[in-house]
Amino acid sequence: MSPKKGGVFGNDSFLMEVGSENVPNTHQVVYKRRQTPKQQLGDGSSCIPEIVQQMGSPKWKRTDRNRNLSIKGRSSIWLPGALDNNVPNAKQEVKKKKKKQIPHKKKSVNLNLYDFAKERAYFEELDATELLVETPSPKSVRCLKKMAWEKDVTCDLINAIFNRWRISKTILQSSGHFKLMETPVANSTCGSLSYRSNNLNEALECAIQSRISRNFDDYEESEASKSRNICSIGNLAKDSIIDSLDGLRIKEESDENEHPSLEEVVNKGSPLQSSSLPAEFHSDFTQLLMACNQTEPLTLSEMFSQFCDISDVKKIGEGAYGEVFKANDNICKIVPIDGDSLVNGETQKRSGEVLEEVLLSLTLNSLRGRDGHVPDQNACTNFIHAKDFWVCQGTYGDSLISTWEEWGSKNESLNDNPREFSERQCYIVFVQAHGGVDLESFAFSDFNEAMSLITQVTAALAVAEAAFQFEHRDLHWGNIVIARNETSTMNFTLQGQKVTAKTFGISVSIIDFTLSRINTGEAILYLDLSKDPYIFKGQKGHIQFETYRKMKEEILKYTDKECWEGSFPKTNVLWLQYLINILLKEKSFTSKDGRSLRVLKKHMESYNSAEDCLSDTFFHDILVYQTT
Ligand SMILES: Nc1ncnc2c1ncn2[C@@H]1O[C@H](COP(=O)(O)OP(=O)(O)OP(=O)(O)O)[C@@H](O)[C@H]1O
């Protein structure tokens, strides 16, 4: 498909996803999560809970958990026809608001927040964990799905997911913010299809064709179809659907006289029965299943059996959304989805937004290269390697509950006991590389390691900015993980320039892209934080919450309203300044080293992107620019 040009703003052809604003939401909006007595928000009246270090029994505590996201659903923009290497610079398109920039005022901030103790023991415990040498064979036939994302399907898969996603967005847009029917999990039609082919496109094509015919067979006369929603599709939308269907290589059925082709249906004019479209185009859940290359959800223990015996799975961390387990050398973050009950005081994520997180992670994966081939223009390995995704359903099971409780008894979990989940509960499981321990728990051996951390994070953000106008937007110290290794350097490529960075034996990975914004060339995926006023109301003077507020101020310099879809790479700089602040506050350095961090932070005030930051003298001795 030839790339079409398009700006990001003020262009009618952009299609906005129906956000939570437009979709009737039966969930109660919750602005506060359950808090421990010591943990309160907003008025500064209480501080983050202290971490108590006990030798041999490390205490682990997330101090960034008192942020609640009340919004559900990513708000994203599809860039019609785009998949252009020249990713448009959204910022150039934003009308600059003529507003005097307020000079940076030095505030006296009360940073006396935590009583922090370093956690070497955690690392030792991790190192001591026995790993299974071999992954056991799958125990269930349903586990026969993909075994090797990386090997043969990744590119096709991303394109296929994008195409389906795009069709859905087109339908939603053209139907006037009309939410098409979700396929309930229990009634999922996917179960009867089986994707055994190594060639995913082939499997998709087969699935789609059979579903087209089944849709016509099943729905035309059924009572169900009468009660289903009708939507009108405009010309643009029709073209887009047809384009996208071409992308999926859908062919007409041989019995086309009996059943019109999908193109004919789309062309027939409005109103179009949404039920005439294959299920994957109007069910986020089905799309998510297909993105995971599954025909139906697995149980959690079936999923874990891919990696090791369920009894060897250990909980290692938690967030407001996810329970994080270690299975063999993988990390599995289990996030409940699509249910009506509150989990950890939060409404559950929906399949649609999870699908976008999957797309975002896969897009970032592409910076790592494949099969030994490193991308020429922009490459780095500091975004956590997303190895796989699974849709699961059912209860946690005794073994997982027991490791959850064991972890909770040592670490004072802030989360609800997953024992409460019913058989119907669905989850997305993000399978990732084990990136080490989070910055909060990491004890630096010396200042070189701290310099390496800042360098690796800055370089990663710079590379992703250049490749995808990426902004992390939530890079608190729970979202940076660090591992020690034997290597002394790492390579990255920024706009074609190859660079080697000294690592001093640490490898840094960035995780958790819930709030992140990315321009994949196909779409801008972002979360509209204007729908979540609570995030900006965190404790005054708290470094993390101040950073959310600074991001908002930054965006309001350029637009009258909060325009979170725009590209504002300065937000990456704000998180780098946060990073230095948290290091200065929570880790110990000599006064000379502390001064060099403060100088870098000061310089950052004038930098507008992570890429700008990399030019700072701070990095001169740690980066080597390769000459060809
Ligand atoms: N790939 C990984 N490698 C090592 N540790 C990880 C990894 N992923 C998650 N963790 C651990 O689990 C914790 C929670 O993970 P994560 O931040 O992804 O969850 P979340 O529910 O999205 O959190 P949040 O409350 O920030 O939204 C992290 O702070 C980290 O300690």
Side-chain angles (χ1 to χ4, degrees):
M1 201 189 324
S2 66
K4 295 173 199 159
K5 288 242 160 76
V8 173
F9 297 101
N11 184 332
D12 286 341
S13 62
F14 287 141
L15 301 181
M16 302 290 297
E17 187 208 309
V18 183
S20 51
E21 191 176 70
N22 304 306
V23 179
N25 187 355
T26 51
H27 303 304
Q28 186 193 353
V29 177
V30 174
Y31 287 96
K32 283 206 169 194
R33 66 168 280 143
R34 178 174 53 80
Q35 292 165 358
T36 57
K38 285 183 195 162
Q39 211 175 8
Q40 291 170 18
L41 273 180
D43 56 3
S45 59
S46 178
C47 62
I48 306 292
E50 72 265 29
I51 295 171
V52 184
Q53 185 182 19
Q54 290 171 6
M55 289 309 291
S57 168
K59 283 280 173 186
W60 185 100
K61 176 77 71 182
R62 289 288 297 274
T63 54
D64 49 81
R65 291 290 301 285
N66 40 4
R67 127 171 116 58
N68 295 52
L69 274 184
S70 55
I71 30 173
K72 290 288 160 257
R74 286 186 148 259
S75 307
S76 301
I77 302 177
W78 164 51
L79 306 176
L83 186 54
D84 191 341
N85 288 335
N86 303 316
V87 175
N89 184 347
K91 194 164 178 181
Q92 285 164 3
E93 305 290 332
V94 179
K95 243 187 163 175
K96 256 204 170 182
K97 201 172 154 187
K98 289 205 170 89
K99 193 172 166 185
K100 255 194 169 176
Q101 295 207 4
I102 307 155
H104 180 83
K105 277 191 210 152
K106 196 162 185 191
K107 280 188 201 161
S108 68
V109 178
N110 174 16
L111 297 178
N112 185 21
L113 295 173
Y114 339 112
D115 173 16
F116 182 75
K118 293 173 183 172
E119 292 291 343
R120 274 176 203 282
Y122 181 80
F123 234 117
E124 284 159 15
E125 188 184 71
L126 258 187
D127 290 343
T129 310
E130 225 182 282
L131 300 182
L132 275 191
V133 181
E134 263 181 51
T135 307
S137 326
K139 286 182 181 149
S140 153
V141 280
R142 290 196 290 154
C143 298
L144 277 176
K145 64 162 232 174
K146 78 270 167 151
M147 298 304 287
W149 268 72
E150 296 292 308
K151 288 203 179 94
D152 45 12
V153 296
T154 308
C155 286
D156 287 346
L157 184 60
I158 296 179
N159 288 339
I161 300 168
F162 260 122
N163 275 328
R164 285 193 301 273
W165 182 83
R166 197 157 68 171
I167 291 170
S168 300
K169 296 294 162 268
T170 307
I171 293 169
L172 288 176
Q173 169 69 18
S174 60
S175 60
H177 306 311
F178 171 70
K179 182 73 177 151
L180 293 172
M181 187 193 69
E182 294 273 321
T183 305
V185 176
N187 301 333
S188 169
T189 53
C190 289
S192 56
L193 292 166
S194 182
Y195 309 150
R196 301 255 162 92
S197 169
N198 275 341
N199 179 339
L200 188 78
N201 252 348
E202 217 176 82
L204 282 175
E205 193 169 298
C206 150
I208 289 164
Q209 286 193 8
S210 70
R211 210 157 311 158
I212 291 169
S213 109
R214 197 172 46 241
N215 271 316
F216 283 115
D217 289 342
D218 294 351
Y219 294 155
E220 259 180 356
E221 295 305 321
S222 74
E223 275 306 302
S225 73
K226 288 174 197 152
S227 63
R228 282 196 184 118
N229 298 317
I230 308 282
C231 69
S232 302
I233 294 191
N235 281 332
L236 168 72
K238 280 183 215 163
D239 291 348
S240 307
I241 290 176
I242 290 167
D243 274 2
S244 300
L245 290 173
D246 282 347
L248 287 174
R249 295 187 284 122
I250 291 182
K251 297 188 191 92
E252 290 183 8
E253 296 285 289
S254 54
D255 53 352
E256 61 193 55
N257 290 337
E258 264 176 63
H259 297 304
S261 73
L262 193 53
E263 281 188 20
E264 281 168 351
V265 173
V266 173
N267 269 325
K268 239 180 196 170
S270 50
L272 171 76
Q273 285 201 334
S274 61
S275 59
S276 305
L277 291 169
E280 54 268 37
F281 299 131
H282 50 89
S283 161
D284 286 341
F285 185 80
T286 313
Q287 284 200 38
L288 185 61
L289 267 177
M290 292 179 79
C292 296
N293 196 13
Q294 280 174 261
T295 56
E296 59 185 345
L298 299 188
T299 64
L300 287 167
S301 66
E302 280 171 336
M303 188 277 301
F304 277 117
S305 72
Q306 302 285 314
F307 308 113
C308 61
D309 194 275
I310 186 83
S311 60
D312 292 326
V313 175
K314 297 285 172 239
K315 173 165 172 171
I316 61 133
E318 67 180 23
Y321 294 107
E323 294 290 347
V324 181
F325 297 87
K326 182 170 178 291
N328 213 342
D329 54 354
N330 300 293
I331 290 297
C332 297
K333 176 164 118 174
I334 305 178
V335 179
I337 56 169
D338 284 347
D340 290 337
S341 63
L342 297 178
V343 178
N344 311 326
E346 307 273 354
T347 47
Q348 296 181 30
K349 291 188 181 188
R350 317 313 295 176
S351 303
E353 69 184 300
V354 167
L355 181 66
E356 291 187 28
E357 271 186 67
V358 167
L359 285 167
L360 204 150
S361 304
L362 289 173
T363 306
L364 287 174
N365 259 4
S366 69
L367 293 173
R368 313 180 74 85
R370 274 178 80 204
D371 303 331
H373 173 76
V374 178
D376 294 337
Q377 284 304 301
N378 295 295
C380 74
T381 51
N382 297 102
F383 292 96
I384 199 72
H385 184 192
K387 293 178 161 186
D388 208 345
F389 305 90
W390 293 84
V391 178
C392 294
Q393 187 177 22
T395 58
Y396 253 54
D398 291 343
S399 190
L400 284 185
I401 293 292
S402 123
T403 178
W404 189 94
E405 287 175 347
E406 197 184 321
W407 188 91
S409 66
K410 285 187 195 152
N411 300 283
E412 259 186 67
S413 172
L414 293 176
N415 285 357
D416 299 333
N417 192 322
R419 192 184 281 287
E420 306 301 321
F421 288 128
S422 75
E423 286 290 348
R424 291 181 56 80
Q425 180 65 52
C426 290
Y427 316 87
I428 180 77
V429 180
F430 295 89
V431 182
Q432 302 170 342
H434 194 324
V437 294
D438 58 41
L439 174 58
E440 182 173 0
S441 313
F442 187 80
F444 289 106
S445 299
D446 55 31
F447 186 61
N448 282 338
E449 288 187 346
M451 284 207 302
S452 174
L453 165 85
I454 296 169
T455 307
Q456 292 185 47
V457 173
T458 310
L461 292 176
V463 167
E465 259 172 20
F468 305 119
Q469 295 180 334
F470 173 82
E471 296 164 52
H472 189 284
R473 296 185 173 176
D474 196 18
L475 201 47
H476 58 71
W477 65 348
N479 286 340
I480 297 173
V481 287
I482 309 170
R484 287 206 163 82
N485 57 31
E486 298 300 311
T487 60
S488 56
T489 59
M490 57 158 272
N491 297 322
F492 65 93
T493 309
L494 178 60
Q495 310 219 37
Q497 170 68 59
K498 293 194 184 332
V499 190
T500 300
K502 292 180 199 162
T503 60
F504 301 99
I506 65 164
S507 145
V508 177
S509 303
I510 294 174
I511 61 170
D512 193 0
F513 311 113
T514 306
L515 304 198
S516 300
R517 185 256 187 209
I518 201 166
N519 182 343
T520 66
E522 285 268 9
I524 294 172
L525 308 175
Y526 72 103
L527 202 64
D528 187 353
L529 295 180
S530 67
K531 292 180 186 152
D532 185 19
Y534 192 73
I535 197 172
F536 304 109
K537 293 189 176 145
Q539 186 182 347
K540 237 180 155 195
H542 186 292
I543 308 170
Q544 181 182 346
F545 298 122
E546 291 298 341
T547 308
Y548 299 126
R549 287 190 277 270
K550 283 182 190 161
M551 284 203 297
K552 181 170 160 180
E553 274 169 32
E554 178 61 26
I555 284 170
L556 288 173
K557 281 182 193 164
Y558 298 95
T559 58
D560 288 323
K561 68 177 186 61
E562 286 174 56
C563 188
W564 292 96
E565 63 270 40
S567 166
F568 303 98
K570 179 79 183 183
T571 64
N572 286 334
V573 181
L574 296 174
W575 283 105
L576 289 169
Q577 289 177 304
Y578 157 92
L579 181 58
I580 297 175
N581 273 326
I582 205 91
L583 291 179
L584 286 168
K585 174 69 194 151
E586 302 299 343
K587 313 284 174 183
S588 324
F589 302 107
T590 63
S591 55
K592 177 171 162 278
D593 294 338
R595 199 161 47 247
S596 80
L597 288 178
R598 279 191 293 276
V599 169
L600 173 61
K601 191 177 71 156
K602 182 78 190 154
H603 288 177
M604 281 179 176
E605 285 169 18
S606 63
Y607 298 141
N608 286 316
S609 63
E611 189 181 349
D612 283 357
C613 294
L614 271 189
S615 64
D616 196 89
T617 50
F618 180 89
F619 301 104
H620 279 185
D621 291 339
I622 206 165
L623 297 179
V624 178
Y625 288 78
Q626 309 291 327
T627 48
T628 43

